């Protein structure tokens, strides 16, 4: 079993042992922790005897922290195990397999034992396997696979974990994409993240910190660390993360331990409500937050932080619609920018929605405005569709930084890489395409060159902004008392409510009866005044109507409803006034998006007034918005085919159909 696919297939075959005794949705929660346990078992195998011997020779009264440090030095890792058992010895005693396995787990140092107890709840899984008479078979099967780092690198082990998660998630109809980003996409993100810092990173003794607020099993952290090691083995990258899913968090934390990273840097919980790295700032950040993640459960907390802390908190720029929290992740990451004058850079994968969803003044638009007007948005890269395992939709990498290079200041680069892919021989879920190394190099070069060409376009920040103006038109109504318009009066809400009540019993019946009586009086009064006269001045007709209804008990709101029912829009009628001001027609109200670089009045006179000369702008309602219409900027016009060619093709097709029909008839 040399390739990771073979090892995945082998571990998957272990899951087959559970068939019939466990639901398919439970397979992953059993197999994944045991895969981690076997990995650790292989890691500690070589130093097992030395650690046990060293532990026996230590003073019983030694400080526990000092004791752990001594034993960890023997292992050469930041963890150890003091149980005499391993997978091979566990097979030797089938009758005591459950007790011995628990003894083995409890023999780990606290930093590992907590993962199996708190995140994986492995003791419960062991009991269930024992009850189903499957524990010995499963442990025996796992003992056959060698997962030692010399045979399975940390990067390869990451592939194995995430491939297993994908397969288990598919089987139980869960969302694998929440934990799983294709490695070639991560590599591209890391390339872009580091490309402008390669000189600094090539120096010796450099220490950098990287953060992923939705780290899953730690795939992005692993690729970033691997890449930096390729650039410079002397550079240290301390990785930090946070993950909500308990099993993914457990895998990530154990993986960090094996790599020699600090497992305490991987926080558990919801990044929105339980920031595991409060006040911590980072050099680099990258993430693939779940697409379209619902943040309803965190809504109260996020709105409170937004309202109470404003821009001093993480979500001061705005809150997007509750059905998609992608831009909340972006704000959270920006809050981790370094404040000491040094550079921080973010690469985050988002779907298309954050580019344009929400009009001026909405939460999404305000967040985009905040990012762009602060000159933080460096580039957006459009990726091919069908790159991800759980969706075929369009995706984009946003590159955000607090310190642009001089030539990028005030600019945003859009890179169209939708055609940079090769088709896969075999699909994995919705993933049917992949980026090759050449594609990654080409896209990285497009970003680094910062030049305009077929695939790269450069814009001023203001090119994405616009002023949303409210175009008003005067309200012009005629009035008449006719049978048709009286019917409209009857349908008015205020008129209908006359015969409705919340009171019960005789009081309610009396109120309804009085309401019906008033309705009948109003209708009869209006019908008695039916004529052919059309009134084109609201003030004059209002005086007339008050006289008509003077003998009835009509409230102000009801009178307004009757007046409205007897009206009709008429561009030849007098303009309705509110005091000395023209009253606007809300039904004729329109909106225009005026590019920030254009003068609003000039635009209005050129684009609006020629069509509606009596319109005006309500300046009190003008809002500034931002959107990024990515596809529009790369649209290439394709002229329609010539009619004679289309006609010729139709004639040929018609002849083919006739020939086929004749063949059927002859048969």
């Amino acid at each position: 079993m040399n390739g990771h696919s073979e090892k995945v297939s082998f571990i998957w075959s272990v899951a087959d042992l559970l068939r019939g005794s466990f639901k398919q949705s439970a397979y992953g929660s059993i197999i994944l922790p045991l895969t981690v346990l076997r990995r650790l078992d292989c890691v500690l195998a070589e130093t097992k005897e030395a650690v046990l011997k060293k532990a026996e020779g230590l003073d019983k009264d030694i400080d526990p922290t000092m004791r752990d440090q001594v034993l960890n030095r023997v292992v050469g890792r930041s963890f150890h195990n003091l149980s005499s058992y391993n997978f091979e010895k566990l097979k030797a005693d089938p009758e005591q397999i459950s007790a011995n396995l628990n003894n083995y787990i409890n023999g780990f140092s606290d930093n590992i034992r907590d993962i199996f107890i708190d995140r994986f709840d492995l003791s419960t899984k062991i009991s269930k396997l024992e009850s189903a008479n499957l524990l010995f078979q499963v442990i025996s099967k796992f003992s056959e696979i060698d997962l030692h780092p010399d045979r399975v690198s940390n990067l390869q082990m990451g592939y194995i974990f995430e491939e297993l998660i994908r397969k288990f998630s598919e089987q139980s109809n869960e969302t694998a994409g929440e934990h799983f980003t294709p490695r070639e996409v991560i590599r591209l993100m890391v390339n872009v993240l580091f490309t402008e810092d390669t000189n600094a990173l090539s120096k010796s003794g450099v220490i950098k910190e990287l953060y992923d607020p939705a780290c899953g099993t730690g795939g992005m952290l692993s690729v970033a660390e691997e890449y930096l090691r390729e650039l410079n083995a002397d550079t240290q990258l301390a990785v930090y993360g946070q993950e909500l899913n308990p099993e993914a968090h457990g895998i990530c934390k154990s993986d960090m331990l094996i790599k020699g990273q600090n497992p305490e840097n991987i926080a558990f919980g919801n990044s929105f409500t339980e920031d595991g790295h409060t006040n911590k700032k980072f050099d680099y950040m990258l993430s693939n937050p779940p697409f379209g993640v619902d943040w309803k459960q965190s809504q109260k907390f996020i709105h409170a932080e937004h309202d109470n802390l404003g821009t001093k908190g993480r979500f001061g720029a705005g809150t997007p619609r509750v059905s998609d929290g992608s831009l909340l992740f972006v704000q959270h990451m920006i809050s981790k920018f370094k404040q000491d004058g040094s550079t921080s850079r973010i690469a985050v994968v988002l779907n298309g929605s954050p580019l344009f969803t929400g009009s001026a003044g909405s939460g999404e638009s305000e967040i985009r405005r905040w990012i762009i007007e602060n000159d933080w948005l460096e580039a957006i890269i459009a990726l091919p569709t069908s790159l991800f395992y759980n969706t075929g939709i369009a995706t984009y990498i946003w590159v955000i930084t607090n310190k642009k290079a001089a030539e990028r200041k005030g600019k945003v680069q859009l890179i169209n890489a939708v055609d940079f892919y090769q088709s896969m021989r075999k699909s994995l879920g919705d993933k049917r395409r992949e980026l090759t190394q050449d594609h990654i190099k080409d896209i990285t070069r497009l970003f680094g060159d910062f030049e305009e060409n077929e695939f790269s376009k450069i814009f001023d920040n203001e090119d994405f902004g616009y002023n949303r103006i409210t175009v008003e038109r005067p309200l012009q109504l005629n009035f008449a008392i006719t049978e048709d318009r009286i019917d409209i009066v009857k349908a008015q809400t205020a008129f209908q409510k006359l015969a409705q009540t919340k009171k019960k019993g005789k009081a309610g019946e009396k109120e309804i009866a009085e309401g019906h009586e008033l309705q009948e009086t109003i209708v009869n009064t209006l019908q008695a005044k039916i004529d052919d006269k059309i009134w084109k001045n609201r003030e004059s007709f209002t005086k007339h109507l008050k006289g008509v209804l003077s003998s009835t008990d009509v409230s102000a709101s009801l009178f307004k409803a009757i007046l409205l029912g007897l009206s009709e829009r008429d561009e030849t009628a007098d303009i309705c006034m509110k005091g000395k001001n023209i009253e606007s027609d809300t039904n004729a109200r329109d909106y225009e998006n005026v590019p920030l670089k254009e003068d609003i009045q000039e635009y209005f006179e050129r684009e609006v007034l020629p069509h509606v000369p009596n319109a005006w702008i309500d300046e009190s309602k003008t809002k500034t918005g931002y959107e990024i219409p990515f596809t529009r900027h790369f649209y290439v016009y394709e002229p329609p085919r010539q009619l004679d060619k289309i006609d010729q093709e139709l004639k040929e097709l018609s002849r083919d159909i006739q020939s086929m029909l004749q063949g059927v008839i002859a048969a």
Side-chain angles (χ1 to χ4, degrees):
M1 290 187 290
N2 296 321
H4 84 271
S5 295
E6 292 173 313
K7 290 180 171 62
V8 168
S9 297
F10 179 86
I11 296 171
W12 186 255
S13 71
V14 181
D16 285 338
L17 295 173
L18 309 180
R19 199 177 306 278
S21 299
F22 293 87
K23 294 179 180 179
Q24 287 187 342
S25 59
Y27 289 5
S29 66
I30 295 172
I31 298 301
L32 289 171
L34 290 176
T35 304
V36 174
L37 187 62
R38 177 55 179 160
R39 169 75 163 176
L40 296 175
D41 187 66
C42 294
V43 168
L44 297 176
E46 296 171 355
T47 58
K48 184 75 172 177
E49 295 303 323
V51 167
L52 294 176
K53 185 176 181 180
K54 187 68 175 179
E56 287 179 4
L58 291 175
D59 190 325
K60 293 182 180 179
D61 297 326
I62 189 173
D63 178 74
T65 302
M66 180 67 72
R67 180 171 176 270
D68 285 347
Q69 290 175 353
V70 170
L71 296 176
N72 288 348
R73 279 198 295 270
V74 176
V75 178
R77 306 276 179 177
S78 57
F79 61 94
H80 59 270
N81 186 295
L82 290 177
S83 170
S84 61
Y85 291 100
N86 56 22
F87 270 65
E88 284 299 321
K89 290 184 177 180
L90 287 170
K91 291 194 304 181
D93 190 359
E95 299 299 321
Q96 298 296 318
I97 184 71
S98 176
N100 294 342
L101 181 55
N102 278 308
N103 176 275
Y104 178 45
I105 293 169
N106 288 324
F108 278 104
S109 49
D110 291 343
N111 51 4
I112 288 288
R113 186 167 60 248
D114 289 347
I115 294 173
F116 288 110
I117 295 173
D118 296 338
R119 298 293 168 250
F120 293 136
D121 190 21
L122 192 53
S123 59
T124 301
K125 314 288 174 48
I126 291 171
S127 297
K128 291 181 178 179
L129 285 169
E130 177 73 0
S131 298
N133 293 316
L134 292 173
L135 183 59
F136 179 75
Q137 295 180 60
V138 169
I139 295 300
S140 296
K141 193 77 173 175
F142 262 110
S143 68
E144 297 174 18
I145 186 170
D146 188 353
L147 297 179
H148 191 280
D150 290 347
R151 265 73 69 188
V152 183
S153 70
N154 291 326
L155 192 62
Q156 190 179 16
M157 196 67 216
Y159 277 117
I160 292 172
F161 281 132
E162 295 192 348
E163 177 70 359
L164 287 169
I165 286 176
R166 185 189 66 78
K167 291 169 76 72
F168 286 129
S169 297
E170 281 183 356
Q171 194 173 53
S172 59
N173 295 318
E174 293 179 354
T175 308
E178 290 188 3
H179 325 298
F180 197 12
T181 307
R183 278 302 193 274
E184 77 271 19
V185 175
I186 302 175
R187 186 59 188 249
L188 172 60
M189 295 172 70
V190 172
N191 273 19
V192 170
L193 205 61
F194 290 161
T195 188
E196 294 193 4
D197 291 341
T198 50
N199 290 334
L201 294 174
S202 61
K203 298 176 182 178
S204 61
V206 174
I207 300 175
K208 295 288 185 178
E209 294 178 320
L210 180 141
Y211 171 60
D212 181 352
C215 64
T217 58
M220 287 193 170
L221 304 177
S222 297
V223 173
E225 189 180 7
E226 195 85 11
Y227 181 86
L228 199 55
R229 194 175 292 117
E230 291 174 13
L231 281 177
N232 183 0
D234 293 330
T235 301
Q236 295 181 41
L237 183 69
V239 297
Y240 295 77
Q242 183 154 352
E243 175 54 37
L244 179 61
N245 179 279
E247 289 170 358
H249 176 262
I251 292 171
C252 182
K253 197 168 181 179
S254 58
D255 195 37
M256 292 300 109
L257 278 163
I258 293 170
K259 293 174 183 175
Q261 289 278 2
N262 183 358
E264 299 308 312
N265 290 351
I266 309 302
F268 177 72
N270 186 324
S271 294
F272 294 161
T273 59
E274 308 167 67
D275 184 3
H277 301 285
T278 307
N279 300 323
K280 182 72 178 171
K281 309 299 178 183
F282 301 97
D283 301 290
Y284 305 108
M285 287 164 271
L286 76 173
S287 189
N288 173 23
F291 299 147
V293 62
D294 185 307
W295 52 282
K296 187 178 295 182
Q297 292 184 342
S298 309
Q299 190 172 5
K300 185 176 180 181
F301 181 94
I302 290 170
H303 280 305
E305 183 169 330
H306 170 77
D307 296 339
N308 298 329
L309 297 180
T311 54
K312 293 182 179 179
R314 295 173 296 161
F315 310 115
T319 54
R321 62 200 63 198
V322 76
S323 60
D324 188 355
S326 299
L327 287 173
L328 292 176
F329 274 104
V330 173
Q331 287 188 86
H332 171 70
M333 295 168 81
I334 288 175
S335 75
K336 304 295 183 183
F337 274 164
K338 293 234 171 181
Q339 305 295 325
D340 59 1
S342 55
T343 303
S344 292
R345 180 170 283 111
I346 295 169
V348 56
V349 179
L350 303 175
N351 62 16
S353 177
L355 292 171
F356 50 79
T357 298
S359 60
S362 68
E364 292 89 349
S365 178
E366 287 299 289
I367 296 168
R368 288 190 293 268
R369 178 181 181 179
W370 176 65
I371 294 171
I372 294 173
E373 289 189 350
N374 277 290
D375 202 19
W376 292 332
L377 182 59
E378 197 165 20
I380 296 178
I381 303 169
L383 298 174
T385 56
S386 302
L387 270 188
F388 289 80
Y389 299 89
N390 64 323
T391 181
I393 64 173
T395 53
Y396 302 81
I397 297 174
W398 290 44
V399 185
I400 305 169
T401 181
N402 65 344
K403 196 175 182 180
K404 289 183 179 179
E407 67 274 14
R408 289 184 180 268
K409 290 185 182 298
K411 305 288 184 181
V412 176
Q413 182 182 18
L414 301 186
I415 298 174
N416 185 23
V418 295
D419 294 322
F420 288 55
Y421 68 86
Q422 72 176 13
S423 297
M424 296 174 62
R425 294 179 182 177
K426 183 180 179 182
S427 298
L428 292 173
D430 289 315
K431 182 175 173 60
R432 297 186 292 276
R433 296 169 174 173
E434 61 186 358
L435 303 175
T436 65
Q437 287 299 318
D438 287 339
H439 292 138
I440 294 172
K441 289 178 182 177
D442 290 341
I443 298 169
T444 305
R445 190 179 302 112
L446 285 169
F447 173 76
D449 290 346
F450 192 60
E451 296 175 353
E452 288 220 347
N453 54 48
E454 179 185 357
F455 304 105
S456 170
K457 296 189 182 298
I458 298 169
F459 299 88
D460 294 332
N461 288 344
E462 294 81 8
D463 289 331
F464 302 113
Y466 61 91
N467 285 307
R468 182 178 175 84
I469 62 173
T470 302
V471 179
E472 301 284 11
R473 297 176 64 183
L475 179 63
Q476 294 172 273
L477 302 171
N478 70 40
F479 301 86
I481 302 176
T482 64
E483 195 65 54
D484 289 344
R485 297 196 187 189
I486 292 172
D487 286 340
I488 295 174
V489 169
K490 292 178 184 179
Q492 294 292 310
T493 302
F495 186 87
Q496 294 280 332
K497 284 186 175 180
L498 290 174
Q500 297 173 3
T501 183
K502 292 184 178 180
K503 294 180 181 179
K504 297 180 180 180
K506 291 183 178 181
E509 293 173 2
K510 181 182 178 183
E511 194 169 302
I512 291 173
E514 290 173 349
H516 280 304
E517 184 178 346
L518 181 55
Q519 286 177 332
E520 187 176 350
T521 300
I522 293 170
V523 171
N524 290 340
T525 302
L526 292 174
Q527 286 176 338
K529 294 295 183 178
I530 289 177
D531 57 30
D532 296 329
K533 184 175 181 179
I534 302 295
W535 301 68
K536 295 204 173 186
N537 183 281
R538 183 172 66 177
E539 186 177 351
S540 297
F541 182 76
T542 299
K543 292 178 181 179
H544 173 68
L545 184 60
K546 285 182 178 179
V548 171
L549 298 174
S550 60
S551 61
T552 60
D553 185 17
V554 176
S555 65
S557 60
L558 180 56
F559 181 85
K560 186 177 179 180
I562 295 170
L563 184 66
L564 180 63
L566 298 176
S567 69
E568 189 176 88
R569 277 170 175 76
D570 182 353
E571 292 185 0
T572 67
D574 293 345
I575 292 174
C576 297
M577 304 294 291
K578 268 190 175 180
K580 295 181 179 181
N581 298 320
I582 296 174
E583 184 173 350
S584 62
D585 185 350
T586 56
N587 286 347
R589 182 177 292 158
D590 202 359
Y591 302 93
E592 292 282 335
N593 289 343
V594 183
L596 276 186
K597 288 184 173 181
E598 286 204 44
D599 181 88
I600 293 176
Q601 191 60 37
E602 289 179 4
Y603 176 95
F604 181 70
E605 292 174 359
R606 183 182 73 245
E607 300 292 341
V608 179
L609 287 183
H611 308 288
V612 280
N614 60 359
W616 73 92
I617 300 172
D618 184 345
E619 295 181 356
S620 68
K621 294 186 175 75
T622 299
K623 296 179 180 179
T624 301
Y626 279 80
E627 64 178 11
I628 306 170
F630 196 103
T631 305
R632 186 196 309 165
H633 290 303
F634 288 94
Y635 173 74
V636 179
Y637 173 73
E638 293 184 8
R641 292 185 299 156
Q642 296 180 357
L643 291 175
D644 58 341
K645 290 186 177 181
I646 297 174
D647 186 53
Q648 181 63 33
E649 290 178 8
L650 288 173
K651 288 178 180 178
E652 292 177 2
L653 185 60
S654 179
R655 284 196 296 269
D656 290 342
I657 293 172
Q658 289 291 335
S659 176
M660 292 170 64
L661 288 173
Q662 289 176 2
V664 171
I665 293 170

